[in-house]
Amino acid sequence: MAIDPDQLDRSGRELAARLRELRVRAGLSGVRLAARCNMSQSKVSRIEGNKSRPSLLDVEQILRALGASAAVAAEVMALARIAQTEWHDSRTLRRKGLDKKQVQLAGLETSSATFRYFLLSMITGLLATPAYVRASLRDAPSEQRSKAVALKLERQRVLFDQSKNFTFLMCEPAVLYPLIPRDELAMQIDHLVSLSRQPNIRIGVIPMGTYLGPGALNTFTVYDESVATAELDLGAIVFRDARDVQDLISRFTRYEEKALFDGDARGRLAEWAESCRSDL
């Protein structure tokens, strides 16, 4: 399904207005609706004011309390599902400050225990050497760059928390993406080999020519089984609907079966690092 960022922005407002309209039409006050749903009146008010994102369960409870018809419920639930998806465009992120994104990611990493990364075209910042991190932010506004680099490197400490488990699947183009000079890229690949020996980190590599199944590929991350992000060069999409998250987990599992791990992965990474050095 094509995702229209403008639609994502509108959906939250439309959902809030639709729920308020249905409550008023049913002749219920916010207090009475809250009591029927076992919610606080302030929560109902925040939902109707588009100041709080309701879960799908919240919306289902409200619709049942309002006695909505099956057709109306289906329409509103479809809107609620879209509202569970957020679009963060790159221009807005830069305007707000790239450090804000790093703080948000650090929060996700602190609150999650299981991480799944599918990397299509670049190495993620958690696995990057300082040279790679600096290069990945070379086009950032100069006044934001130093702080964003520092925060990105600081986030790497989460990898050494043994209570957390990471699986990184990297396609060959991601490993060999020429973001930095070949000698520095060889050291970056050596760094991946080193990290792959940590007991809480699994690094899988997917060589070119590996068939991963039908459908377009994109970089994505799944945090536990509750939140997922998909990255584009123009921004990022955040999914909170359990069905979307489970769909990405299913894709990840399928890709995982195609990847090389442990000694096989380290052997292939060593070959790629050596190819970088032989080009010098």
Side-chain angles (χ1 to χ4, degrees), residues 4-6 8-9 85-98 100-101 104 144 230-238:
D4 178 358
D6 291 336
L8 298 183
D9 292 338
T85 306
E86 298 175 12
W87 168 252
H88 296 174
D89 68 87
S90 297
R91 291 184 301 277
T92 300
L93 289 173
R94 289 176 184 271
R95 188 171 65 250
K96 290 182 177 179
L98 294 176
K100 301 292 192 302
K101 177 182 178 182
Q104 289 172 348
Q144 298 182 22
E231 296 195 20
L232 310 172
D233 60 343
L234 296 179
I237 303 169
V238 182

Side-chain angles (χ1 to χ4, degrees), residues 115-278:
F115 304 80
R116 300 173 176 90
Y117 289 79
F118 177 70
L119 306 171
L120 179 64
S121 57
M122 282 183 63
I123 295 170
T124 180
L126 285 184
L127 302 178
T129 61
Y132 199 98
V133 169
R134 287 192 293 270
S136 71
L137 292 169
R138 66 165 62 102
D139 294 331
S142 57
E143 67 275 10
Q144 298 182 22
R145 192 180 306 128
S146 295
K147 188 173 184 180
V149 167
L151 287 171
K152 207 165 190 176
L153 292 172
E154 173 68 17
R155 284 175 44 223
Q156 294 179 355
R157 294 177 57 185
V158 74
L159 294 174
F160 301 95
D161 183 343
Q162 296 298 310
S163 69
K164 300 179 185 293
N165 292 287
F166 300 83
T167 301
F168 298 92
L169 300 182
M170 286 178 281
C171 296
E172 182 175 343
V175 177
L176 294 176
Y177 184 70
L179 183 69
I180 51 181
R182 298 288 279 179
D183 57 335
E184 294 181 359
L185 186 57
M187 289 188 285
Q188 169 64 74
I189 298 172
D190 291 342
H191 183 57
L192 297 177
V193 172
S194 177
L195 288 172
S196 75
R197 299 184 187 278
Q198 282 192 206
N200 65 324
I201 296 176
R202 296 176 71 233
I203 291 182
V205 296
I206 302 174
M208 286 289 290
T210 304
Y211 179 64
L212 296 178
L217 301 178
N218 59 267
T219 291
F220 66 86
T221 305
V222 182
Y223 300 88
D224 292 332
E225 296 189 0
S226 55
V227 179
T229 64
E231 296 195 20
L232 310 172
D233 60 343
L234 296 179
I237 303 169
V238 182
F239 300 97
R240 289 187 173 83
D241 187 321
R243 289 172 292 185
D244 293 325
V245 175
Q246 285 301 318
D247 179 66
L248 287 173
I249 289 175
S250 295
R251 294 187 191 191
F252 188 90
T253 300
R254 188 169 74 246
Y255 301 160
E256 194 173 13
E257 293 171 352
K258 306 281 189 174
L260 303 177
F261 285 96
D262 302 320
D264 291 335
R266 285 189 282 271
R268 189 60 62 95
L269 287 168
E271 290 175 13
W272 292 339
E274 186 57 32
S275 73
C276 290
R277 292 187 174 96
S278 65

Side-chain angles (χ1 to χ4, degrees), residues 104-115:
Q104 289 172 348
L105 288 172
L108 268 176
E109 290 155 2
T110 298
S111 62
S112 305
T114 302
F115 304 80

